[in-house]
Amino acid sequence: MYAKILVPVDGSPTAECGLQEALKLAKGSTTALLLLYVVDQYPMLVDFAAAASYQEVQDDLRRYGKEVLAKAQAAAQAAGVAAEVVEREVIGGRVADVVVGEAEKAGCDLIVMGTHGRRGLSRLTLGSDAELVVRHAPVPVLLVRHGEAPR
C-alpha cells in the first residue's frame, strides 16, 4: 500500500507509539521506513547561558539522536521491516518544517508520528509540531496518540 513511510522519532513514549504503528503498517510488505531524528537546537540556544559548553550540549544531542535512531532501526529489523535512518538539525526553525521537507525530499508517501493529543490552551502555549505537519505535509499523515494522552 505504501512504499516509504517517514517516522519521526525522539526517544519519547509518544514517538514510540508512532513507530509501533508504522511497523504494523509495514510488516509483511515491501514498505520501508525512513526513521528521522531532528536535533532541535533552539531550546539549547535559549538555555545556553546555563550550559557548560555549547559544543558539549550539541554533541550530546547528536549522540542521543544516534542512540534513538539505532534503537528504532533495531525494532524495525526485529519486525522484519526495512528501515533507513536520517538525522537532521534545525536552528531557529520548526521541527515540523524539517519533517515535511524530509518527506518531500525522500519521496515518502505517508508520515506516521506520535502526538500528545493536547487541546486548548496547552496546545496553544506549547505549539504543535504534529498539527503543523498535518497542515503542510504533501502526503497523508497518521497521528498516533500516546495511551496516556488527554481525551
Side-chain angles (χ1 to χ4, degrees):
M1 186 167 169
Y2 298 106
K4 188 183 283 187
I5 300 173
L6 176 65
V7 185
V9 293
D10 63 7
S12 69
T14 302
E16 179 65 22
C17 288
L19 173 61
Q20 292 305 314
E21 192 65 30
L23 289 171
K24 288 180 201 173
L25 288 170
K27 192 170 183 173
S29 71
T30 59
T31 302
L33 301 185
L34 177 60
L35 306 169
L36 171 66
Y37 180 85
V38 180
V39 177
D40 184 2
Q41 295 186 7
Y42 179 73
M44 181 176 57
L45 293 173
V46 170
D47 291 338
F48 180 61
S53 163
Y54 175 82
Q55 191 61 48
E56 276 182 44
V57 175
Q58 191 175 30
D59 290 345
D60 286 345
L61 288 172
R62 288 182 182 133
R63 193 171 15 263
Y64 178 71
K66 289 183 187 348
E67 291 171 11
V68 167
L69 287 170
K71 182 178 175 188
Q73 191 171 34
Q77 185 176 14
V81 174
E84 61 181 290
V85 299
V86 64
E87 184 176 318
R88 297 286 182 246
E89 294 188 22
V90 61
I91 301 173
R94 301 271 326 212
V95 170
D97 295 335
V98 177
V99 172
V100 169
E102 197 62 37
E104 291 172 338
K105 179 179 163 187
C108 296
D109 45 11
L110 177 68
I111 300 170
V112 176
M113 61 190 297
T115 180
H116 293 284
R118 291 187 179 104
R119 299 171 65 178
L121 186 58
S122 66
R123 181 184 59 81
L124 292 175
T125 58
L126 295 171
S128 173
D129 283 316
E131 181 179 351
L132 289 171
V133 169
V134 168
R135 287 182 185 207
H136 299 286
V139 297
V141 179
L142 174 60
L143 297 179
V144 181
R145 263 190 188 199
H146 184 266
E148 297 174 10
R151 296 192 187 260

